[in-house]
Amino acid sequence: MSTEPKTTDALTPQISTGGLPASSKIYVHGQIHDVQVPMRQIHVGGGEAPQVVYDSSGPYTDPAAAIDIRKGLEDKRGAWLAERGDVEAYEGRAVTAADNGFAKGDKLVPEFPAIRPPLRAKGDKAVTQLAYARAGIVTPEMEFVAIRENNGRIEAWEKARDGHDFGAAIPDLVTPEFVRQEIAEGRAIIPANINHRELEPMIIGRNFLVKINANIGNSAVTSSMEEEVEKMVWAIRWGGDTVMDLSTGRNIHNIREWIIRNAPVPIGTVPLYQALEKVNGIAEDLTWEVFRDTLIEQAEQGVDYFTIHAGVRLHMVPMTAKRVTGIVSRGGSIMAKWCLHHHKESFLYEHFDEICDICRKYDVSFSLGDGLRPGSIADANDEAQFAELETLGELTKIAWAKDCQVMIEGPGHVAMHKIKANMDKQLEHCHEAPFYTLGPLTTDIAPGYDHITSAIGAAMIGWYGCAMLCYVTPKEHLGLPDRDDVKTGVITYKLAAHAADLAKGHPGAQERDDAVSRARFEFRWEDQFNLSLDPDTARDFHDETMPKEAHKVAHFCSMCGPKFCSMRISHDIRAEAEKADGFAKMAAKFQEGGELYVPADQVADQVEPAE
Amino acid sequence: MSTEPKTTDALTPQISTGGLPASSKIYVHGQIHDVQVPMRQIHVGGGEAPQVVYDSSGPYTDPAAAIDIRKGLEDKRGAWLAERGDVEAYEGRAVTAADNGFAKGDKLVPEFPAIRPPLRAKGDKAVTQLAYARAGIVTPEMEFVAIRENNGRIEAWEKARDGHDFGAAIPDLVTPEFVRQEIAEGRAIIPANINHRELEPMIIGRNFLVKINANIGNSAVTSSMEEEVEKMVWAIRWGGDTVMDLSTGRNIHNIREWIIRNAPVPIGTVPLYQALEKVNGIAEDLTWEVFRDTLIEQAEQGVDYFTIHAGVRLHMVPMTAKRVTGIVSRGGSIMAKWCLHHHKESFLYEHFDEICDICRKYDVSFSLGDGLRPGSIADANDEAQFAELETLGELTKIAWAKDCQVMIEGPGHVAMHKIKANMDKQLEHCHEAPFYTLGPLTTDIAPGYDHITSAIGAAMIGWYGCAMLCYVTPKEHLGLPDRDDVKTGVITYKLAAHAADLAKGHPGAQERDDAVSRARFEFRWEDQFNLSLDPDTARDFHDETMPKEAHKVAHFCSMCGPKFCSMRISHDIRAEAEKADGFAKMAAKFQEGGELYVPADQVADQVEPAE
């Protein structure tokens, strides 16, 4: 069975659709609201029930869904928004030539054909999930994510919980009310711009499953809207929970419209990138007015979270002077340059209140950017980094006061022994707002393998409490990731996030591991492939040396061969034990047997190694 | 500059030789003994001194060395052994047809042409590094590793040490006397069979650099001696510190001879595999006599360490009955089957004293096998695993009493929160003998990516104190690794081991990271490639989008493009700051500036998020 995704017909060229192997899409209905929560069922053999797994891939993996990227995904949230009665449609900001970098003629990516008028909050109403949560309202978005987090489980987890959670408070069952409380407390966010009605909501917070973000973005050189939509679809197919569009160059506006209209996951951006394009790449020419206009432009399109580097303050810039790698955040370096040139406090910091007002009107979540994150092992956990973190904590309170949802971005490059301090300080200074880190990379000596140097740090900080991990691809520091790199990055981060869920003791997290292990022990090769994060690669690797269909039921693989297969021998052992007395009686019998050697404590005196 | 290794002429087909890019081989001379310790110097630009890095690759990367695998490597240790005067050459055991699996005619791999008569200890002398260490003798092997561990540094490290070492005691400079003490205490081993005279000694212990092992091995199907030698050469070229030959099938004896004669690194084996071949793969037919004969056969050839699964005892087998994946160690499952079939304690356990006598006579180090290691997240840290670990601790004392060097093998599959317990229990039960783990894998759901699931666990346990990490390749659980998989596995484990060294605060470990970071900040692309663990891949990735030579001095890469390069902007910032007042004055000035917002503690009351 080939599992290469189908690319659809001429109407929607290059879009990867079709289910994953042995999988079907199911929808779980809400009890409070009219929500249908997608999940993936993986069918397995051995008489086992299907595995239900979290599914970020949207309708693209639903064979019943009609995909036409020119129409966009179905408007699922429109009814929820209408019911709340606190938003209004209006004639949005007019698109300018600058929005698309003055692209013209055949260089201009066509407009998305079915643009809706944008929505905004009526009057000064707060239409954020935080505002509703504080008001005691359980929204459809909250119920949706509650169901989603339980992976199809409707009863509280009753088995012993095995993990170490560093003070997280993960419940045995995620209820809509629990979601509401976590959001009200600021410990979790649901990035869900009211203009992103195609969204399948998801939650980011320490007491929920660890999430991952994948970055996409057109380069200055070339890009079509199909390519960019496909990058997003490809990233979520393999498990990306959110996607950041980091496009630069021309056509940013039009391409973003295509992406959002076709995105079932939250889309994040760094608005500064587009603002910089509008001033021809000259950081010093940036103004609050250009930036503000860009925020509104993107909020109207439906961007779900904004990275805002408002924590880079003028007095912090000199703290980076002695660094080995200076400022490595693009946004951070742009703002630092601006501050220095104008000898002024950053307009992001000065106008933070107004930024909050915009976010509040559309429910754009903040991702407070770590513009001064370390770009090398040498610079980790330094004065500049932690000074900014404290400022992000102050900004968090301001945003919260405006009912805005907030998460905090984190590093970067950090050796293992310094990772936990990042988590601890973030929890303390940022009042438990969710943490969202890039890696961190645990060494600098392996360019080409930075998905791995960073997956080590990502798994650890996820375990310690980080809520979302921004992926790193093998091309990090070297070039633009291609399709394979994106997949490798996503799968690598999915496994890191899952390792963190296991270590935190997330209820039910181990079910999938156990299903793989049982399949492995029972030589159900197809099930091993199908249950894995990347069924195609697992299958291909196996088939390189044992390609035949008959090998799919073989009680060994080419790694050890039949004679040395420990699992096969384990079966023999069990059979042999059954034949004899059964393991239980055997155990009793053997434990009576005497010791052949003197016990360690008695032998200690005579053999203690010494000089 | 192409960096693809040369393959040598027709005399030594398929062997990868030639230096790594921008590198030269240097040899540091001993002060006490006539030892020449190889190191690699990486030449960099920017006016910086060359980076000296640990070099496991042997003469194959020395352009001055004449490589002819039919002659083997130079006998470097013969003079050291002769000087000690406690060994004698003798007519070794005659090779039997069974040793090569009864391969005949053109199926029989030719004998290595220049076989030496083996050496053994005279009388009942102990010729182990442990015996010498206890007697207060600093051997050439000890001086060799002391120099090697310092990476060319001859002065004690004086800068502040940055790390968390969990009770390790890593010195500021490794002296030969420190090495001697660590070996005498059993905390470190130098695997160095007296019959492996081609060896460049290395040390395995918690207070030294973390090491990695790569597995090779011919399959039952096909193999030539050149192929197997090349696998070893390839693995050490990228950083394998030791190599285990896990061959099964025919020609095991002859191929092993070719490998050892050409190996500058310690070679480990699992003698049980060959013994099983000698009884046609029927575990029940194994006998102490066949096993003993195999130990002598391999000891005479020069195998440096034996994995011995003597900790699998009869009464432990039933403890595995409820496991999800039973027994997953090949050796463990073979011994469990034998015990069960005969209803007897294992011959390895019963004859452990005699095994020690053999190891003592040739200085074969023990790698006490974890036959009951967990093969799934579900089985981690269970009764069977820890019962065996305690037995390994008992066996350690017995081996130490016979002056034998010992390390302890560890898991396997362990979720992150259970890893530290493995290290702690091993230190406690095995009296600080070095720990040598396989991974551990931190989740089971990513076959095809188990080099990564395991690198996470490996980096962590290396940080906690594990002395050597056995690599896992992307093919783990699926098939036999090919050349690319071996390289990926080695590089992945090198970066994990290095991340551990950094986190432990190993003196000087961060020098290479800093050199890469400086090169990155200064856009010295060639230096970034050359300083990295895998220069070829780093260069290839970069050149995919920016292939021209001119791009090698470009002040940006294709990842962000010129306009958004934060490092380029950081340079602008520094230049701008210099132009103005200098950072120092600026810092003072900006810190005087007032706060734009109310400080967090004053604002807390009004904006604390609440329901």
Side-chain angles (χ1 to χ4, degrees):
Chain A
M1 172 174 46
S2 164
T3 61
E4 186 59 14
K6 288 174 286 188
T7 55
T8 46
D9 61 28
L11 292 176
T12 54
Q14 307 297 334
I15 305 301
S16 300
T17 61
L20 289 169
S23 297
S24 54
K25 196 101 175 176
I26 58 169
Y27 293 90
V28 178
H29 297 274
Q31 306 274 312
I32 311 171
H33 296 285
D34 179 24
V35 299
Q36 281 85 40
V37 183
M39 293 175 194
R40 181 175 147 221
Q41 264 192 339
I42 308 173
H43 301 276
V44 289
E48 296 200 359
Q51 273 289 313
V52 178
V53 300
Y54 196 101
D55 187 356
S56 61
S57 63
Y60 300 98
T61 52
D62 185 347
I67 301 296
D68 180 348
I69 67 164
R70 295 173 315 175
K71 291 183 179 156
L73 298 179
E74 195 186 331
D75 173 0
K76 290 188 177 164
R77 292 178 65 216
W80 310 345
L81 296 165
E83 199 172 337
R84 291 202 277 262
D86 51 6
V87 298
E88 61 186 11
Y90 69 108
E91 190 181 342
R93 171 188 169 283
V95 177
T96 70
D99 298 350
N100 285 305
F102 303 98
K104 277 191 292 212
D106 62 358
K107 303 278 192 215
L108 180 66
V109 166
E111 277 196 353
F112 180 77
I115 294 183
R116 286 186 300 255
L119 300 177
R120 67 181 173 203
K122 285 182 186 163
D124 66 349
K125 285 207 184 299
V127 295
T128 66
Q129 296 293 320
L130 177 54
Y132 302 132
R134 285 173 169 173
I137 298 165
V138 170
T139 63
E141 289 85 349
M142 294 176 201
E143 188 185 20
F144 191 104
V145 302
I147 293 168
R148 198 167 198 185
E149 290 286 318
N150 295 320
N151 266 352
R153 192 159 40 81
I154 54 170
E155 303 282 337
W157 185 257
E158 286 185 344
K159 291 186 225 169
R161 295 265 293 274
D162 176 20
H164 182 80
D165 65 10
F166 294 100
I170 304 164
D172 291 326
L173 187 75
V174 176
T175 61
E177 171 59 17
F178 178 78
V179 169
R180 188 197 62 73
Q181 286 172 16
E182 289 291 295
I183 292 173
E185 297 290 339
R187 278 196 296 266
I189 66 171
I190 296 178
N193 184 322
I194 54 172
N195 286 310
H196 190 186
R197 300 196 229 158
E198 302 82 359
L199 183 74
E200 295 174 350
M202 52 78 71
I203 192 162
I204 300 167
R206 182 159 67 121
N207 294 322
F208 301 93
L209 291 163
V210 177
K211 303 303 188 298
I212 68 165
N213 172 69
N215 294 328
I216 62 169
N218 66 323
S219 69
V221 188
T222 173
S223 202
S224 72
M225 68 279 194
E226 293 95 343
E227 274 174 57
E228 291 305 313
V229 171
E230 168 59 10
K231 281 185 199 168
M232 177 273 294
V233 171
W234 184 244
I236 66 176
R237 181 177 183 85
W238 300 112
D241 291 294
T242 77
V243 167
M244 289 196 79
D245 173 15
L246 303 183
S247 292
T248 58
R250 292 178 176 179
N251 291 307
I252 297 184
H253 180 97
N254 282 4
I255 288 180
R256 188 169 51 230
E257 186 78 27
W258 283 92
I259 292 172
I260 298 173
R261 297 288 74 78
N262 286 285
V265 301
I267 299 297
T269 63
V270 185
L272 197 62
Y273 295 175
Q274 190 181 12
L276 187 68
E277 294 287 354
K278 291 180 182 176
V279 295
N280 301 309
I282 316 231
E284 303 86 302
D285 290 355
L286 282 165
T287 63
W288 162 242
E289 288 68 29
V290 169
F291 187 77
R292 180 181 174 282
D293 182 58
T294 306
L295 292 182
I296 293 170
E297 171 190 353
Q298 298 197 8
E300 287 181 350
Q301 286 185 299
V303 171
D304 298 289
Y305 61 92
F306 286 156
T307 293
I308 303 285
H309 295 95
V312 180
R313 295 190 56 191
L314 183 57
H315 72 272
M316 297 171 190
V317 180
M319 296 178 189
T320 67
K322 300 271 180 228
R323 279 184 159 184
V324 172
T325 46
I327 301 177
V328 298
S329 148
R330 295 194 229 172
S333 63
I334 293 164
M335 288 317 302
K337 193 173 184 190
W338 189 95
C339 290
L340 216 53
H341 181 86
H342 296 284
H343 275 232
K344 276 173 66 175
E345 199 63 86
S346 125
F347 58 82
L348 299 177
Y349 187 77
E350 293 208 329
H351 293 275
F352 192 72
D353 262 321
E354 291 159 81
I355 299 173
C356 292
D357 291 335
I358 296 169
C359 288
R360 169 187 168 100
K361 195 184 279 291
Y362 301 93
D363 199 7
V364 181
S365 296
F366 277 100
S367 184
L368 290 175
D370 55 336
L372 302 182
R373 68 169 172 268
S376 55
I377 294 297
D379 294 342
N381 293 19
D382 73 352
E383 183 193 14
Q385 185 195 332
F386 287 140
E388 184 187 30
L389 185 64
E390 288 186 37
T391 302
L392 299 184
E394 293 168 29
L395 297 172
T396 299
K397 293 237 162 174
I398 293 161
W400 280 349
K402 298 266 191 178
D403 288 321
C404 294
Q405 302 190 89
V406 180
M407 62 180 167
I408 309 290
E409 296 186 7
H413 294 239
V414 187
M416 282 191 285
H417 64 295
K418 292 183 172 175
I419 292 176
K420 189 148 189 302
N422 277 275
M423 191 67 232
D424 293 345
K425 282 184 195 289
Q426 190 274 342
L427 286 172
E428 180 195 341
H429 294 311
C430 300
H431 327 291
E432 299 194 71
F435 204 21
Y436 165 33
T437 60
L438 177 71
L441 285 73
T442 54
T443 167
D444 295 329
I445 67 169
Y449 298 79
D450 279 334
H451 58 308
I452 306 178
T453 63
S454 67
I456 294 167
M460 290 173 71
I461 204 161
W463 175 25
Y464 299 151
C466 184
M468 187 157 77
L469 310 171
C470 181
Y471 89 166
V472 171
T473 78
K475 290 281 169 60
E476 184 76 15
H477 299 117
L478 298 167
L480 261 184
D482 62 20
R483 185 178 170 87
D484 287 342
D485 297 320
V486 167
K487 181 174 171 184
T488 300
V490 169
I491 301 280
T492 299
Y493 270 67
K494 280 302 278 187
L495 73 84
H498 183 75
D501 288 334
L502 282 178
K504 286 168 82 175
H506 204 98
Q510 200 183 306
E511 299 283 283
R512 189 170 180 181
D513 295 78
D514 292 351
V516 173
S517 299
R518 286 191 302 271
R520 187 167 279 159
F521 193 65
E522 294 169 13
F523 300 100
R524 289 185 269 116
W525 289 100
E526 290 289 346
D527 290 349
Q528 281 188 67
F529 307 149
N530 296 338
L531 286 163
S532 69
L533 287 179
D534 179 358
D536 300 341
T537 297
R539 182 185 307 270
D540 290 348
F541 281 2
H542 178 267
D543 288 1
E544 270 182 34
T545 43
M546 294 182 67
K548 296 183 192 153
E549 275 312 302
H551 291 153
K552 298 296 192 310
V553 292
H555 280 203
F556 60 92
C557 75
S558 70
M559 194 168 169
C560 304
K563 211 152 50 177
F564 285 92
C565 179
S566 59
M567 297 227 180
R568 194 188 56 69
I569 299 172
S570 284
H571 286 280
D572 293 350
I573 290 171
R574 291 191 183 177
E576 188 129 10
E578 294 300 323
K579 253 194 316 190
D581 268 340
F583 267 110
K585 279 169 87 177
M586 274 170 48
K589 192 160 113 198
F590 299 151
Q591 272 156 356
E592 290 162 15
E595 298 288 323
L596 272 166
Y597 294 106
V598 188
D601 51 342
Q602 293 173 35
V603 90
D605 292 338
Q606 35 185 130
V607 298
E608 191 73 40
E611 285 199 34
Chain B
M1 174 174 45
S2 164
T3 61
E4 184 60 15
K6 288 175 286 188
T7 55
T8 45
D9 61 26
L11 293 177
T12 54
Q14 307 298 333
I15 305 301
S16 299
T17 60
L20 289 170
S23 297
S24 54
K25 196 100 175 176
I26 58 168
Y27 294 90
V28 178
H29 298 273
Q31 307 274 314
I32 311 171
H33 296 285
D34 179 24
V35 300
Q36 282 84 41
V37 183
M39 293 175 194
R40 182 176 146 220
Q41 263 191 340
I42 307 174
H43 302 276
V44 289
E48 297 201 359
Q51 274 289 313
V52 177
V53 300
Y54 196 100
D55 187 355
S56 62
S57 63
Y60 299 98
T61 51
D62 184 349
I67 301 296
D68 180 349
I69 68 165
R70 295 173 315 174
K71 292 184 179 155
L73 298 179
E74 194 186 331
D75 173 0
K76 292 191 177 163
R77 291 178 66 216
W80 308 347
L81 297 165
E83 199 173 337
R84 290 201 277 262
D86 51 6
V87 298
E88 62 187 9
Y90 68 108
E91 189 180 343
R93 170 187 170 283
V95 177
T96 69
D99 296 351
N100 284 305
F102 303 97
K104 276 191 292 213
D106 63 356
K107 304 276 191 217
L108 179 65
V109 166
E111 276 195 352
F112 180 76
I115 293 182
R116 284 187 299 255
L119 299 177
R120 69 182 170 201
K122 285 182 186 164
D124 65 350
K125 287 207 184 300
V127 296
T128 66
Q129 297 291 321
L130 177 52
Y132 302 132
R134 284 173 170 173
I137 298 166
V138 171
T139 62
E141 289 86 349
M142 294 175 201
E143 188 185 19
F144 192 105
V145 303
I147 294 168
R148 198 168 199 184
E149 290 286 317
N150 294 322
N151 267 352
R153 191 159 40 81
I154 54 170
E155 303 282 337
W157 185 258
E158 285 185 347
K159 291 186 224 169
R161 295 263 294 273
D162 176 21
H164 182 80
D165 65 10
F166 294 101
I170 303 165
D172 290 326
L173 187 74
V174 176
T175 62
E177 171 60 17
F178 178 77
V179 170
R180 188 197 63 72
Q181 285 172 16
E182 289 291 296
I183 292 174
E185 297 290 339
R187 278 197 296 265
I189 66 171
I190 297 179
N193 184 322
I194 54 171
N195 287 310
H196 190 187
R197 300 196 228 159
E198 303 82 359
L199 183 73
E200 295 175 350
M202 52 77 71
I203 192 162
I204 301 167
R206 181 159 66 121
N207 295 322
F208 301 93
L209 292 162
V210 177
K211 304 303 189 299
I212 68 165
N213 172 69
N215 295 328
I216 62 168
N218 67 322
S219 69
V221 189
T222 172
S223 204
S224 71
M225 68 280 191
E226 292 94 344
E227 275 174 56
E228 290 305 313
V229 171
E230 168 59 10
K231 281 185 200 169
M232 177 272 295
V233 171
W234 184 245
I236 66 175
R237 181 177 182 84
W238 300 112
D241 292 294
T242 76
V243 167
M244 290 196 79
D245 173 16
L246 303 182
S247 292
T248 57
R250 293 178 176 179
N251 291 307
I252 296 185
H253 180 96
N254 283 3
I255 287 180
R256 190 170 49 231
E257 187 76 28
W258 282 93
I259 292 171
I260 297 173
R261 296 291 73 81
N262 286 287
V265 300
I267 299 297
T269 63
V270 185
L272 197 63
Y273 295 175
Q274 190 181 12
L276 187 68
E277 294 287 355
K278 291 180 182 177
V279 296
N280 301 309
I282 318 248
E284 304 86 302
D285 290 354
L286 283 164
T287 63
W288 162 241
E289 288 69 28
V290 168
F291 187 77
R292 181 180 173 283
D293 182 57
T294 306
L295 292 182
I296 292 171
E297 172 190 352
Q298 299 196 8
E300 288 181 349
Q301 286 186 299
V303 170
D304 299 288
Y305 62 91
F306 287 156
T307 294
I308 303 285
H309 295 95
V312 180
R313 296 191 54 191
L314 184 56
H315 73 271
M316 297 171 189
V317 180
M319 296 178 190
T320 68
K322 299 273 182 228
R323 277 184 161 185
V324 171
T325 45
I327 300 176
V328 298
S329 147
R330 296 194 228 172
S333 64
I334 293 164
M335 288 318 301
K337 194 173 184 191
W338 189 95
C339 291
L340 215 54
H341 181 85
H342 295 285
H343 276 232
K344 276 172 65 174
E345 200 62 85
S346 124
F347 59 81
L348 299 177
Y349 187 77
E350 293 209 329
H351 294 274
F352 192 72
D353 264 319
E354 291 159 81
I355 298 173
C356 293
D357 291 336
I358 296 169
C359 288
R360 169 189 169 98
K361 195 184 280 293
Y362 301 92
D363 198 6
V364 181
S365 295
F366 277 100
S367 183
L368 290 175
D370 57 336
L372 303 181
R373 68 169 172 266
S376 55
I377 294 296
D379 295 341
N381 294 19
D382 73 352
E383 183 193 14
Q385 184 195 334
F386 287 140
E388 184 188 30
L389 185 64
E390 289 187 36
T391 301
L392 299 184
E394 294 168 29
L395 296 173
T396 299
K397 295 238 163 178
I398 293 161
W400 280 349
K402 298 266 189 179
D403 288 320
C404 294
Q405 302 190 88
V406 180
M407 63 180 167
I408 309 289
E409 295 186 7
H413 294 239
V414 186
M416 282 190 286
H417 63 296
K418 292 183 172 176
I419 292 176
K420 188 144 190 305
N422 277 273
M423 191 68 231
D424 293 345
K425 281 184 194 289
Q426 191 272 344
L427 286 173
E428 181 195 341
H429 295 311
C430 300
H431 327 292
E432 298 194 72
F435 204 20
Y436 165 33
T437 60
L438 178 71
L441 286 73
T442 54
T443 167
D444 295 329
I445 68 169
Y449 298 79
D450 279 334
H451 58 308
I452 306 178
T453 64
S454 67
I456 294 167
M460 290 172 72
I461 203 162
W463 176 26
Y464 300 153
C466 185
M468 187 158 78
L469 311 170
C470 181
Y471 88 166
V472 170
T473 79
K475 290 281 169 61
E476 184 76 16
H477 299 118
L478 298 168
L480 262 184
D482 62 20
R483 185 177 170 88
D484 287 343
D485 297 321
V486 167
K487 181 175 171 183
T488 301
V490 169
I491 300 280
T492 300
Y493 270 66
K494 280 302 278 186
L495 73 85
H498 182 76
D501 288 334
L502 281 178
K504 287 168 82 174
H506 204 98
Q510 199 182 307
E511 298 284 283
R512 189 170 178 180
D513 296 77
D514 292 350
V516 172
S517 298
R518 286 191 302 270
R520 187 168 279 157
F521 192 64
E522 293 168 13
F523 300 101
R524 287 184 271 117
W525 288 99
E526 291 289 347
D527 290 349
Q528 281 188 69
F529 307 149
N530 296 337
L531 286 163
S532 69
L533 288 180
D534 179 358
D536 300 341
T537 297
R539 181 185 308 269
D540 290 348
F541 280 3
H542 178 268
D543 288 0
E544 271 182 34
T545 44
M546 294 182 67
K548 295 182 192 153
E549 276 311 304
H551 291 153
K552 298 298 191 308
V553 291
H555 280 202
F556 60 92
C557 76
S558 70
M559 195 167 169
C560 304
K563 210 153 48 178
F564 286 92
C565 179
S566 59
M567 296 224 180
R568 193 188 58 68
I569 299 172
S570 284
H571 285 280
D572 294 348
I573 290 171
R574 290 192 183 177
E576 187 129 10
E578 295 300 324
K579 252 194 316 191
D581 268 342
F583 267 110
K585 277 169 87 176
M586 276 170 48
K589 189 162 113 198
F590 299 152
Q591 272 157 355
E592 289 162 15
E595 299 288 321
L596 274 164
Y597 295 106
V598 188
D601 50 344
Q602 294 174 34
V603 90
D605 292 338
Q606 35 185 130
V607 299
E608 190 72 41
E611 282 200 46

